[in-house]
């Protein structure tokens, strides 16, 4: 069942000092600009195809849209083994990593994108296992 959820984020409680911090966080308007840019990137990427978004990428098109360099392939191999991923989960991580790269404006999926995407996997504790 966990493979059916795309993103799951566990958050720690925010301590009082952090709430009082004056550190400038990214505003909703800034985030919106990044999301709109990522949507335009995907629109251009999939122009002329039946695919609309990264989440729709078919397994047969994975190499074309989510191709990895050697370092990233080694990273995915380690993740695949250590997280005991199913094929579905493996491809889901690639799709999410592609989106993270788009949000950063990166043309290629980097190791950091793969690692971040892997963190969004649901924890088994939520499934009673």
């Amino acid at each position: 069942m966990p493979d059916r959820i795309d993103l799951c984020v566990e958050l720690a409680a925010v301590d009082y000092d952090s709430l009082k911090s004056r550190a400038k966080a990214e505003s909703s308007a800034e985030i919106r600009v990044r999301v709109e840019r990522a949507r335009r990137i995907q629109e251009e990427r999939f122009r002329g195809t039946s695919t609309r978004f990264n989440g729709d990428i078919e397994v047969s098109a994975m190499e074309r849209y989510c191709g990895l360099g050697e370092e990233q392939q080694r990273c995915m191999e380690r993740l695949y083994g250590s997280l005991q991923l199913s094929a579905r989960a493996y491809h889901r991580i690639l799709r999410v990593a592609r989106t993270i790269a788009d949000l950063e404006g990166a043309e290629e999926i980097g190791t950091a994108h793969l690692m971040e995407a892997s963190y969004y996997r649901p924890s088994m504790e939520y499934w009673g296992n």
Side-chain angles (χ1 to χ4, degrees), residues 31-107:
I31 294 169
R32 181 184 185 112
V33 167
R34 284 194 307 119
V35 169
E36 288 173 347
R37 184 180 66 227
R39 296 278 305 255
R40 285 191 304 273
I41 289 169
Q42 291 175 47
E43 185 178 289
E44 182 62 32
R45 175 182 296 128
F46 302 124
R47 181 163 289 149
T49 73
S50 61
T51 304
R52 293 186 56 209
F53 304 108
N54 293 336
D56 301 328
I57 298 172
E58 297 287 335
V59 172
S60 61
M62 200 61 65
E63 184 63 32
R64 177 177 178 191
Y65 297 118
C66 299
L68 302 175
E70 287 183 34
E71 179 182 335
Q72 292 73 29
Q73 287 178 27
R74 286 191 301 275
C75 176
M76 274 307 294
E77 184 177 3
R78 286 189 304 274
L79 289 171
Y80 188 82
S82 65
L83 298 176
Q84 299 178 342
L85 299 175
S86 65
R88 179 181 169 80
Y90 170 83
H91 292 114
R92 180 62 58 198
I93 287 174
L94 287 175
R95 290 180 187 103
V96 172
R98 176 69 270 165
T99 300
I100 294 166
D102 289 346
L103 286 166
E104 289 185 3
E107 289 188 32

